[in-house]
Structures are given as structure tokens and as C-alpha cells.
Amino acid sequence: MQTGSLFLTVITFLPLLSVAALLFLRSDDHVWIRRIALTASLAEFAISLLLLRGFDAADPHYQFEEIHPWIGQAIHYHLGVDGISLFLVLLTTFLTPLAILCSWQSIQENVKGFFTALLVIETAMIGVFVSLDLFLFFVFWELTLIPMYFMIGMWGHERRIYAAVKFILYTMFGSILMLVAILWLYNLSGTFDLQDIQGKLQSGIVALPPGTELLLFGAFFLAFAIKVPLFPLHTWLPDAHTEAPTAGSVILAGVMLKLGTYGILRFCLPLFPNAAHRMAPLIAVLAIIGIVYGALVATVQHDLKRLVAYTSVSHLGFVVLGLFAFSTVSIQGAVYQMLNHGISTGALFLGVGMLYDRRHTHEIKEYGGLATPMPVLMAFFLFISLSSLALPPLNGFIGEFLILVGTFEHHHAWAAWATSGSVLSAIYLLWAYQRVALGDITVEKNRTLPDASSRERIILVTTAAAIIFMGIASPLFTRRMEASTNQVLRQMERPQNASLPPVVPPPGAPTVTLRETQQDRSLAVIAGRLASR
Amino acid sequence: VIPFPLEQIANLHRLAPEIILCVFGIAIMAVDPFIPGSNKRVMGWVGLIGTLTALASVGLVASDPGPAYSNLISADAFSVFIHVVVIVAAALAILGSLNYLDAEGAQRGEYYALVLFATAGMGILGGANELVTAFIGLEMSSISTYILAGFRRHDAKSNEASLKYFLLGSFATAFFLYGIAMEYGASGTTKIDGIQSFLIGWRAGHASPPALAILGLGLIFVGLGFKVVAAPFQIYAPDVYEGAPTPVTALLASAPKAATFAVMLRIFLVAFGTTADIWFWAVFLSAILTMFIGNLAAIVQSNVKRMLAYSSIAHAGYVLVAFAAATSVGVAAVLFYLAAYVLMKLGAFLVVTHLGQKGEKRLEIRDYAGLGLKQPALAACFSLFLLSLLGLPATGGFLGKFFAFQAALDLRDPRFVWLVVIAAVNSVIGAYYYLRVIIVMYFWEPSQDYTPTAVAPPLRVALIIAAAGTIYLGLFPGRVLFLAKTAADSLSLR
């Protein structure tokens, strides 16, 4: 623990600081606005990589902690990362430069505003991941909304206003009830500090009656499920994705959806384990419906971007399923899948954005045979699709595999149903690829389309490298996540009768769990090895 | 021979803000006839100096709190807090009025004098420890604002606003007065602390409080509910807010509400704190009704001033949520809310003051299409106030709601959980219409026929102060929250 260092504060607020630099530029100085935004985001990525150096993989607790009093006695400015949030921060800092690069040419109006919004979102998202105080968390959580709202509404496509309003109202509705739940937790525990609340709930100092726990769980879960989005709360997503500019979609799919799954993992499971266990079957069923439904709907889309949007519904279903299977392996898989989805789907949106830049349409029937004029771009597109449909040894495979293995341990049926999603993903992605890239050129205009520019090649190569790296070097990641995922599972343990005041846990209980954890861990190692071959 | 009441003179400094405001007001009235028409603007600066001097004198009061005028006035920390809020509001309103009145050709000294008198009245409301004193404060602020509402003499809507406000407002104050009479009949006193000890004594021997006192309290609720625009007494507000000159609306929507809430807190929580279980339901229902009426009606407005008027109805509802808690925490939450509310509401109306342009022609929301590109700073400022009204974190409006909800949940009472959930749902409904303005300003194509002029320096200063205050309260609320808590503790609840 490095109390007193300002490392996380710097990482969180560096993008915001660079916004201040942007504000000094003339608003028609597009070149320098872009350059400064890109430099800032690259610097941000480089600094965030330093987190890896100081990070102790064996330590399940929060690291790089910072804590300062903020408002009154109860609210603190409390930051910290563990093995879960660490990689989500890195994902954010990795995707932001790509989002900036992909907007290089396509954003020509109000450039300053656009990059300002992008960088503000980055700060807010990192803030969500590193906050260890519920109040601070909520502040960042809400702050992600406004810049994204502007991004969709100002630089989006035809139905952008409708999509922006739908996006923000949906999310706000969920989060306002979460605010009430946060206040209620404060009422019971007298603090907004996540670790304090966790400790008090776990030790039984603060006892939640089952009904209350369920309500609190529900309020938190609703906010996160809307964000994920879990079927049937997903309807905002296709609109927001389709109407957003490319960078917006990348950020939205790449990181913002993970705010939801991260929230479930960080708050819903450890704080309200009994309710989570009670609701798990229902949620798993919704997740599976999401997996299959998202895949089926994606299959029949005629709009390429909408298709990719629906794949998110399907893929995030896997993540939620993995979380609610409650095994180390499945949860690790879920975290890993969050990163994979961020990169693969982000890359898919980047690719779709490149096509859009050329033809200004997302209609699949407007394309066809693109592999002939654009061999490089289409080769990468195929590669990214393969990663998204979880082809071994690419990154997507590891995540899905771990989730399915972990789920299968206790829930054969869940895993069986979910697996159909993997099959379907091959159908919709390859079919889409076939219609876009293969065969004869169907639209005459496409014959002369230029292949990937050097700027686009940088984007494509970077994402492809990340895809391969995460596919083969997965133990580098899982090793650092392991302690933290186990910690989450430990935090979910409660004295047998939680509704009664402090009870010493029955001597049998911890040993059983420990043995299970041991078993899970060895499985993870096996899975990791399997995958890296 | 009645001895000269020396102790009243001795405590005169505790009334310093009111005295200063009135002296400046009278001075403006006296000097105004001698100032040539083209120089009337000077009176505005004199008025501003008056408010700033009064603000400084609040420090004097704060340094030596205590009763004044045979305990008719209680210059405690609570009163000091309210004084600061209303005087700052008045100063900002004056800054916003200077160029507006020039543009409207209505630059006259009495405008500023009336603002000062109204502020003095609000100050008295904040410190009143006796019902008739409160009535005097209420009348001072009301009558001044009746006239201010009709200040655009040649405009039918302004006249309508003034008349409507005057007629209905007179009714409301009559209710208030009638209520006071009943309190006197029931308890034999009109002092807040007198009524409190009477009720405590009564409750020791009786199961329920005297019916006459409760009836009187009901009438007082009607009278004051009208002033804070709580449902079902809100009917007048949109018309009055729309018709009144915009800087006057800015003042009307902010400061008198804060002052009236202050006196309500004293009456309901101090004097009638022991009967909280009885008046709770009235406040509870009124809060729910207020929030729903305000938010739902605001959705369908196309006129910015009407929309903001309904929004201020909704905000009265949120304040009532914390009010209903009837605890010290609740009082602190109400005070913090009022401080944040005054800044953001005033700021929003001051932006509209400018955007309305000459003759208040540009008041439709669609008039602001593309403002985000035409006047980025002004649009950003407006967005900030709207987002704060919406309750977005990192703004004062969010923390106001946050503390209000927290205070209500603090009681661990299911009724309050429901109240907070309703309030929370309402703030999402509210999001729709606040965001709609932002949509028009940023997402719509700029309207061709409308290029707003540059913001005049005084108004600019006012906007910067309001915006900075809104952000300050959102990021570093500690200081103000501490003052609000101190103020709440200075009331002897129960």
C-alpha cells in the first residue's frame, strides 16, 4: 500500500488537465487540438502502464491507495486499484488514443468540443474504476453521462437526438435509485467508504434483513444492468451505438458498458451476496436470453453498426453469466472478457467507422466484395471478427472459455445454453463479413475505395497486436486478477445467519470455501495453460 | 411613565442589515427625482453598494448573535445564513437589472429601492421570532415585489403578473394573518418560543394539541406555502414568473422563497415541533404534489420562463422533502439546498434576462437553437445552471438534493423512503426538460434570424459569481454545510 502517493490522482485527472490546455487553443486550430489531445492520451496510457510496475499481484487488497477527507466526516476522496480495476483502467487509457486517432479526419465540426468531451469521459471513467468511496463513485458515474450525451447529440448521425435522450434518461433512471440505495447504506453504516461498509456488512456489525438486502441489491443492480445492458433493458444500446460517432461507439462499447459489469462485481456481489445468490438464477436466465437474443437479432441486421451493437448485448450476457456463476474461474473469465470485448468490439467499431468514413453509410447492402479494393483493411476486419467470435488462440476465446468452464462446474444447463451463443456469433460475424468483403463488387462506387491509410493501419495493427497479445499472454493478466477475484469471493462470505447480530462463522464453513477456491485456482491455471498453447 | 426601552436600542446593531438596506432604499427614493433620466443607472450602483454594505454588516450580526427588539427578532446563526443568501441574491439581481432596464427604457431609481426594501423584508423574515414581525417582513417583501413584477408598465403580461400576484398574494397573506390570530387565541402569545413552550406544556396534560392552534397552523401553511410555491398553492407562479421582468423573476424565484422557507422552519419546527406528527402529512402530501405538478407541467412548456417557473415549483418540493424530516439535519439540508438553489435559479433566469433581448421577445426554447456555437460561454453557463437544477454531481444542485435525501432517509422511516424514491423519480423526469434546452442549444441547427448581443459586463459578473458558486458548492460544500449545520443548531428544535 502506497498511501500518500498521488499516482492515481494523476492518472485520473491528467485528461481533464489536458482539456484545460485545449481550452487555450483557438477553436479553429484543428491540427494542434488533435495533436495535443493525442499526445495527452498517449502520455496518459504510458503513465497508466507504470501501474503495472508497482502492482503486487499477490496482494488481494487495494493498492496505490489515496485517502483524503472531502465533505464532512463521512465522505472521502478515496482511490485505489486492485487486480480487477487495474486492467479496466488500462483498457480505458488504451482505447482513448485509438478513439482520438479514428476521429482525426471524420470530426470536422467543433473539433475542440469533441476532444474535450472525449477526454472528460476518460477522466470520469477512470474515476469510476478507481473510486473506493460510494459518493465519489457516484459523482464519476454520473459525470460519464454528460460528455457522452453531447458526443452522441452533437456529432452523431441522423437520429442522434433521439438516441442521446434515450441513452441519458435510461441511465439516469437507474442511477438515481442507486443513489437512494447508497444513501440508505450510509444510513445503516455511517460511512460512504466501500471498504468500511464491506467490513461492517461482512462482520455482521451492520445486519441487513433479507428484504432490505434484496431492495438495495435491486437498486444497485438496476443501475448496472441498464448500463451493461442486460436483456430486457438493452433497448437504448442499439440506438446509442448506431447514432454515435465512431469514437463514441468505441468508448461506449469499449469501456462504458464495463462500468456496469464492473459495478456488479465491485458492489452488488460483495455487498449483497445473499440477495445475489437468491437472484442469480433469474439473472443468469436473463443473461442467457441476452446472449441468444442478441446474437439472433444481430444476425438479421442490415445495418452493420447496429449488428455490432447487438453483438455487445450477446457478449456482455456472457460476462454477466460468468459473474453470477460465482466461481473464481468464471469471474476471472468475466473480467477477462470485459477487456476482450472492449478491445474486439472497440476494434469492430473502428473498422465500421473506417468504412463509414469512405461511404457514409452503415447499410450492409451498400458494400460487398470490399476485399478486392481494400485487401488490408478487410484482412484486419476478418481478424477482428475472428477475435470477437472467440477463435482460439485469440483473446475472445480465453474469456468465453473461462466463463463457460467456470459456469459448467455448478450449472451445466446454463453453460450449455450459453455455448449456443458462441456458435451463433460465428454465424452473424462471418456472414456479415461475407456480405461486406467477399464475392463480387456489387456497388460500382466501391471499386475505387482507397485501402487503409497509414493512420488507419496504426489503429488496426495496434488493436490486432492487443488481440494476439491477450490471446497468448493471458496468464500475465489472469495472474494479476486472481488474488482480487478470490478476494471478491471471500467478501461474499457471510456468517450463516446474517440477520442476527454478530455471529462467529461456524468453524466448518471457511475450510470448505477454501478448498473450493484452491480447486478453482488450479482450474484457472489449467485453463490458462490450455489457452496459451 | 413608560421607561424608555433602552435594551432595544442596545441591540440595534443586530438589525444592521435591514437598517442599512432601508436607509439606502430611502436615500435612493429621495435622491432619484434630482437625477436626470440618462443617469438613473447610478441609482443601480448605489443599490448595489447598499446590498454589499448590508452584506458586510451581516458579519457584525454574526459576531454578536442574540435577540433583538424584546426578542421579536432572533439574530442567530440561522438568521445570518438566510441574510447572506437573500442579500447575495439581491446583489446579483441588481447586477442583472442594470442593462436590462436600460434596454427596456425603464431605468428608474425606485426599482432599486424596491429591491432593497424587499430584501430588508426578507431579512426580517429570516430573523423573525414572532409571528406579527414575520408578517411585517412578509408584507414588506411581498408588496415590493408586487410592484416590481409590474415594472414593464406598457406590457400587458407584466401588468397581468403584477395584478395576479397582488390579488392572490394578498389572499395568502390574509390567510397567514388569520392563522396568527388563531395562534394567539390558542396560546396567548405570538412569539415562536412562547408557542413552543405553550405546546410543550399543553402536551404534558393532553393527548392532542389544541385544535385552534392546529387550524391556525393550517392557515399559516396556506399563506407561506403560497410564497414558497408549494402545491396546491402554486397556480399563480407560472403566469407571474412569465410576465414579470426577467431580472425580477430571477429575484422572485430565489430570495423570497429562501426567506419564506426560513420562517416556515421556525414556525413548523420550532414553535410546532411537538406537533410534527400532525403537520407531517400536510407537508408530505404537498411535497409529492409539488414535485409532480412542477416536473410534469414543466415538460410541456415551450417558454423558457414558464419552464423555469415550473422547475422552481418542483424544487420547492425537494426542499419540502428535507423539511418534512423535521430534524436538525433536515434544517441544515434545507439551508444548503436554498443556498445552492438561489445561485442556480438566479443564474438561469439571469441568462434568460440576456437571451430574451429587448422587449423580452426571445423566450421560446427554440429561439436558443445553436446558441452553443454562437455564444459558447453563455451557453456553457446556462447548461451549468440547468445541469445543477437537474442535480448532476459536481454541482451545488446535486449536493442540495443529496443532503435533502440523506436527511429524509436519516429517520429510517418507510414513509420517508417512499418520499425519497418519489423525489428521485421526479428528478429523472426533471432531467428531460432541462436536457431539452441543452439539446436545442447544442444539437439543433443555429437559427438564422437571431444573433444575441454580447453580455453586458455587470450581468457577466453576476453570471460568473453564480456559476462559480454553483461549482464551489458542488465540489467543496464543506464550509457552507458547516455553516448550515451551525445555523440549524442555533434553532431550538422541540
Side-chain angles (χ1 to χ4, degrees):
Chain A
M1 212 197 280
Q2 292 171 295
T3 318
S5 89
L6 282 172
F7 204 23
L8 285 180
T9 301
V10 171
I11 291 180
T12 310
F13 289 102
L14 186 69
L16 203 60
L17 208 65
S18 47
V19 166
L22 284 188
L23 292 182
F24 283 109
L25 292 173
R26 286 216 329 270
S27 48
D28 56 351
D29 191 358
H30 293 180
V31 176
W32 276 101
I33 290 172
R34 292 184 189 120
R35 282 184 191 162
I36 287 190
L38 182 66
T39 318
S41 63
L42 285 174
E44 168 82 359
F45 179 55
I47 294 175
S48 65
L49 280 180
L50 292 178
L51 277 176
L52 284 174
R53 237 186 46 178
F55 189 80
D56 178 6
D59 185 357
H61 300 101
Y62 294 103
Q63 303 180 33
F64 304 101
E65 262 186 278
E66 286 172 39
I67 183 160
H68 305 282
W70 183 17
I71 302 171
Q73 306 294 316
I75 298 174
H76 291 89
Y77 174 78
H78 189 181
L79 305 181
V81 288
D82 66 352
I84 298 165
S85 47
L86 169 73
F87 289 110
L88 289 166
V89 170
L90 289 179
L91 176 72
T92 313
T93 57
F94 175 76
L95 283 178
T96 307
L98 294 180
I100 289 175
L101 263 182
C102 81
S103 322
W104 209 258
Q105 298 295 337
S106 52
I107 302 297
Q108 292 293 349
E109 271 174 46
N110 201 352
V111 176
K112 192 168 167 178
F114 184 82
F115 289 112
T116 301
L118 202 56
L119 290 168
V120 172
I121 298 182
E122 186 177 15
T123 282
M125 289 187 306
I126 295 175
V128 170
F129 291 134
V130 299
S131 297
L132 295 182
D133 183 283
L134 287 175
F135 181 86
L136 187 64
F137 164 80
F138 187 80
V139 169
F140 281 124
W141 174 270
E142 289 279 279
L143 281 187
T144 58
L145 296 183
I146 294 298
M148 185 47 91
Y149 172 71
F150 275 93
M151 204 173 233
I152 299 173
M154 285 187 82
W155 294 275
H157 306 307
E158 296 79 34
R159 290 168 68 236
R160 59 182 197 276
I161 294 178
Y162 169 78
V165 171
K166 196 168 176 183
F167 161 75
I168 202 161
L169 287 184
Y170 249 93
T171 327
M172 274 192 171
F173 181 75
S175 46
I176 197 79
L177 292 179
M178 177 166 76
L179 177 67
V180 177
I182 288 175
L183 279 167
W184 190 250
L185 266 182
Y186 163 72
N187 237 331
L188 297 173
S189 63
T191 173
F192 285 100
D193 193 278
L194 178 61
Q195 282 163 299
D196 287 355
I197 295 175
Q198 175 69 42
K200 284 182 179 171
L201 287 177
Q202 192 160 19
S203 60
I205 294 173
V206 174
L208 290 180
T212 313
E213 186 178 345
L214 202 62
L215 280 177
L216 289 176
F217 173 84
F220 272 88
F221 187 76
L222 182 68
F224 299 139
I226 287 174
K227 200 82 168 180
V228 168
L230 188 70
F231 178 89
L233 304 167
H234 65 279
T235 53
W236 65 268
L237 176 126
D239 289 312
H241 271 302
T242 318
E243 299 306 321
T246 305
S249 307
V250 171
I251 294 296
L252 202 54
V255 189
M256 272 206 166
L257 305 187
K258 276 70 186 185
L259 300 182
T261 43
Y262 170 78
I264 293 173
L265 182 58
R266 176 68 81 227
F267 301 101
C268 283
L269 300 192
L271 295 180
F272 319 109
N274 297 327
H277 276 288
R278 261 171 79 184
M279 297 307 288
L282 176 67
I283 294 167
V285 166
L286 289 179
I288 291 167
I289 294 178
I291 293 173
V292 178
Y293 172 82
L296 289 177
V297 177
T299 315
V300 297
Q301 292 305 311
H302 51 84
D303 180 309
L304 196 54
K305 207 170 182 189
R306 234 181 154 75
L307 187 152
V308 179
Y310 273 107
T311 68
S312 290
V313 178
S314 179
H315 284 145
L316 268 297
F318 273 104
V319 177
V320 174
L321 182 69
L323 293 177
F324 281 89
F326 305 122
S327 80
T328 320
V329 178
S330 71
I331 291 180
Q332 247 181 39
V335 177
Y336 205 57
Q337 190 64 2
M338 287 186 214
L339 307 178
N340 293 332
H341 176 265
I343 290 178
S344 303
T345 310
L348 276 179
F349 276 119
L350 287 167
V352 173
M354 289 172 194
L355 293 184
Y356 184 83
D357 285 348
R358 287 166 171 72
R359 284 292 323 277
H360 294 279
T361 177
H362 291 135
E363 286 294 321
I364 293 179
K365 68 170 186 295
E366 286 290 317
Y367 298 109
L370 290 188
T372 316
M374 306 190 279
V376 177
L377 181 53
M378 281 301 121
F380 275 106
F381 204 85
L382 177 64
F383 185 75
I384 294 163
S385 304
L386 292 178
S387 132
S388 183
L389 63 80
L391 182 85
L394 301 180
N395 61 352
F397 169 70
I398 318 282
E400 266 183 31
F401 182 75
L402 290 179
I403 290 173
L404 290 175
V405 168
T407 310
F408 189 75
E409 264 180 72
H410 301 292
H411 311 281
H412 299 334
W414 294 3
W417 280 104
T419 313
S420 69
S422 300
V423 181
L424 288 171
S425 71
I427 296 176
Y428 60 73
L429 279 167
L430 291 179
W431 192 38
Y433 182 77
Q434 185 197 340
R435 284 179 291 168
V436 170
L438 304 181
D440 297 327
I441 294 177
T442 47
V443 179
E444 206 49 38
K445 270 191 244 171
N446 292 340
R447 204 171 288 283
T448 52
L449 290 185
D451 202 353
S453 68
S454 49
R455 178 179 55 86
E456 288 167 339
R457 279 175 208 219
I458 292 174
I459 297 176
L460 292 168
V461 169
T462 315
T463 49
I467 286 169
I468 298 176
F469 182 72
M470 290 190 66
I472 21 192
S474 62
L476 285 180
F477 295 82
T478 46
R479 191 166 58 82
R480 289 186 169 83
M481 292 171 188
E482 199 177 311
S484 301
T485 41
N486 284 328
Q487 175 78 355
V488 171
L489 285 172
R490 265 197 301 281
Q491 285 170 342
M492 288 182 68
E493 289 160 19
R494 288 287 186 275
Q496 281 303 297
N497 200 342
S499 55
L500 293 175
V503 181
V504 185
T511 24
V512 173
T513 352
L514 220 129
R515 210 178 296 139
E516 266 181 15
T517 324
Q518 213 74 39
Q519 190 189 356
D520 284 353
R521 196 171 301 175
S522 51
L523 253 171
V525 173
I526 296 169
R529 278 185 200 147
L530 254 176
S532 52
R533 271 185 202 152
Chain B
V1 179
I2 301 164
F4 186 74
L6 257 181
E7 84 281 4
Q8 292 184 8
I9 300 292
N11 290 329
L12 214 55
H13 62 283
R14 288 178 181 147
L15 273 171
E18 283 79 17
I19 292 171
I20 290 170
L21 287 168
C22 288
V23 165
F24 269 87
I26 293 165
I28 290 174
M29 295 292 260
V31 176
D32 188 48
F34 303 103
I35 305 283
S38 54
N39 280 346
K40 297 279 190 196
R41 201 180 150 90
V42 170
M43 293 291 100
W45 294 109
V46 174
L48 185 67
I49 292 168
T51 53
L52 294 180
T53 319
L55 192 60
S57 73
V58 176
L60 185 72
V61 180
S63 66
D64 178 28
Y69 267 179
S70 319
N71 207 9
L72 296 184
I73 294 279
S74 173
D76 45 14
F78 181 84
S79 164
V80 166
F81 193 96
I82 294 296
H83 271 85
V84 173
V85 170
V86 296
I87 295 175
V88 167
L92 293 179
I94 289 178
L95 280 173
S97 305
L98 282 165
N99 286 69
Y100 173 87
L101 293 178
D102 274 340
E104 297 298 314
Q107 191 71 271
R108 286 195 298 278
E110 68 250 36
Y111 179 92
Y112 304 103
L114 287 168
V115 171
L116 295 187
F117 291 142
T119 314
M122 294 175 222
I124 293 174
L125 271 177
N129 192 33
E130 195 266 344
L131 294 176
V132 177
T133 313
F135 178 75
I136 291 171
L138 191 68
E139 281 296 74
M140 260 181 93
S141 76
S142 301
I143 293 173
S144 309
T145 46
Y146 299 153
I147 307 170
L148 285 172
F151 217 73
R152 294 174 68 223
R153 283 189 295 208
H154 306 295
D155 184 84
K157 274 194 172 172
S158 185
N159 280 306
E160 180 201 340
S162 182
L163 194 62
K164 209 171 231 178
Y165 196 26
F166 168 65
L167 286 177
L168 294 172
S170 306
F171 257 110
T173 38
F175 270 97
F176 183 51
L177 201 55
Y178 213 158
I180 295 173
M182 288 189 177
E183 295 318 335
Y184 186 71
S187 62
T189 176
T190 50
K191 290 236 174 96
I192 302 271
D193 41 8
I195 296 172
Q196 184 186 34
S197 42
F198 164 76
L199 284 174
I200 291 172
W202 177 279
R203 277 237 132 163
H206 302 77
S208 59
L212 190 59
I214 294 303
L215 185 61
L217 188 66
L219 295 180
I220 289 175
F221 185 65
V222 174
L224 297 180
F226 175 88
K227 290 286 167 191
V228 299
V229 216
F233 319 112
Q234 89 296 350
I235 313 276
Y236 76 99
D239 291 339
V240 172
Y241 285 18
E242 186 195 358
T246 318
V248 173
T249 312
L251 187 68
L252 270 186
S254 55
K257 263 187 157 180
T260 314
F261 263 121
V263 79
M264 269 178 96
L265 285 171
R266 278 200 208 264
I267 295 175
F268 281 74
L269 268 60
V270 180
F272 286 85
T274 46
T275 60
D277 49 333
I278 297 173
W279 59 254
F280 166 79
W281 288 108
V283 175
F284 180 79
L285 291 176
S286 172
I288 294 176
L289 209 57
T290 310
M291 290 187 284
F292 273 117
I293 290 179
N295 281 315
L296 292 177
I299 288 180
V300 294
Q301 302 305 319
S302 64
N303 180 297
V304 180
K305 279 169 91 175
R306 287 188 83 85
M307 189 273 271
L308 286 174
Y310 279 110
S311 127
S312 56
I313 296 175
H315 279 274
Y318 303 132
V319 176
L320 285 176
V321 170
F323 189 106
T327 57
S328 178
V329 184
V331 175
V334 169
L335 291 178
F336 186 90
Y337 200 107
L338 291 174
Y341 168 79
V342 162
L343 285 175
M344 60 198 185
K345 198 74 195 191
L346 216 114
F349 270 119
L350 288 184
V351 174
V352 177
T353 301
H354 176 73
L355 290 177
Q357 302 282 293
K358 188 171 161 41
E360 302 209 351
K361 292 197 191 72
R362 296 290 180 172
L363 292 176
E364 295 296 303
I365 294 174
R366 65 168 180 275
D367 289 336
Y368 304 157
L371 195 74
L373 290 172
K374 284 183 195 160
Q375 286 197 326
L378 189 65
C381 223
F382 200 17
S383 305
L384 173 71
F385 296 131
L386 291 171
L387 291 175
S388 180
L389 288 167
L390 188 167
L392 188 84
T395 60
F398 168 69
L399 281 170
K401 273 198 192 119
F402 182 82
F403 294 136
F405 293 178
Q406 186 183 327
L409 288 176
D410 209 30
L411 298 172
R412 303 201 186 179
D413 181 333
R415 294 175 305 183
F416 279 98
V417 178
W418 280 112
L419 194 55
V420 169
V421 169
I422 290 172
V425 169
N426 260 285
S427 54
V428 180
I429 302 176
Y432 180 77
Y433 57 84
Y434 295 123
L435 289 172
R436 204 167 49 127
V437 180
I438 294 182
I439 288 176
V440 172
M441 286 198 298
Y442 285 93
F443 303 169
W444 281 22
E445 291 299 317
S447 57
Q448 297 303 323
D449 61 327
Y450 173 49
T451 17
T453 49
V455 184
L459 181 58
R460 195 177 299 177
V461 171
L463 288 178
I464 289 172
I465 292 172
T470 303
I471 294 176
Y472 173 75
L473 288 180
L475 290 179
F476 309 104
R479 179 90 196 126
V480 176
L481 187 64
F482 172 76
L483 292 174
K485 280 189 172 137
T486 319
D489 290 338
S490 73
L491 293 185
S492 49
L493 301 183
R494 306 277 150 131

